[in-house]
Amino acid sequence: WARCTVAARAFPAWIVGDSPDHAGAGFVLCPVLDLFNHRRGSDLAWRWCPEGGVEFRLHPDAEALEDGEEIWNDYGPKSNEELLLNYGFCTPGNSNDVVDVLVRAWGDLERLRLHADRLRDCGAAPVALTS
């Protein structure tokens, strides 16, 4: 339970820059700041402040927020599998969603290469052929 809680709430350690307080850390916990929900492409940016702490700001060109409007964080380009495993939710129409499929085929290698090229043209990449 504890490992899952930390994994779902942690930020990458690079946001604290060269902070000696976090030397060697792979991740950091930022209480309260970890409460933002995920929305891909959100206008929220965050960085370490040399004076101490993490600063969250809306991008300067972002639309103004209305009173009571939710502030979203972008967890990064994650598939639904990763979102579900690490955060407990999926997003409909996730453009980062992937499915790995192994297809075994026998036959003429040149014909198989032609089919692999067609799969690549449809966005299925990478397609690897071995003989």
Side-chain angles (χ1 to χ4, degrees):
W1 172 86
R3 176 183 275 181
C4 291
T5 301
V6 169
R9 298 283 180 209
F11 288 87
W14 60 260
I15 69 168
V16 295
D18 295 327
S19 167
D21 295 337
H22 301 93
F27 61 87
V28 293
L29 295 175
C30 303
V32 179
L33 299 178
D34 62 353
L35 297 176
F36 294 121
N37 288 320
H38 168 73
R39 177 179 282 165
R40 194 76 175 109
S42 75
D43 290 323
L44 188 68
W46 35 277
R47 69 177 182 89
W48 168 252
C49 296
E51 315 78 57
V54 178
E55 177 180 81
F56 283 76
R57 287 186 172 203
L58 289 175
H59 291 289
D61 58 345
E63 291 185 29
L65 294 172
E66 299 293 327
D67 287 348
E69 189 174 349
E70 183 168 0
I71 299 172
W72 299 89
N73 188 16
D74 186 340
Y75 295 3
K78 300 186 179 343
S79 68
N80 275 338
E81 178 181 20
E82 190 174 1
L83 290 171
L84 183 61
L85 179 64
N86 293 310
Y87 306 103
F89 68 90
C90 295
T91 58
N94 185 346
S95 62
N96 297 298
D97 219 3
V98 295
V99 176
D100 294 326
V101 177
L102 173 64
V103 177
R104 294 182 185 260
W106 292 265
D108 176 59
L109 192 55
E110 288 307 312
R111 186 166 183 221
L112 292 173
R113 282 195 176 111
L114 176 66
H115 290 298
D117 289 341
R118 287 184 183 152
L119 287 172
R120 276 190 214 95
D121 292 342
C122 295
V127 174
L129 294 174
T130 60
S131 55

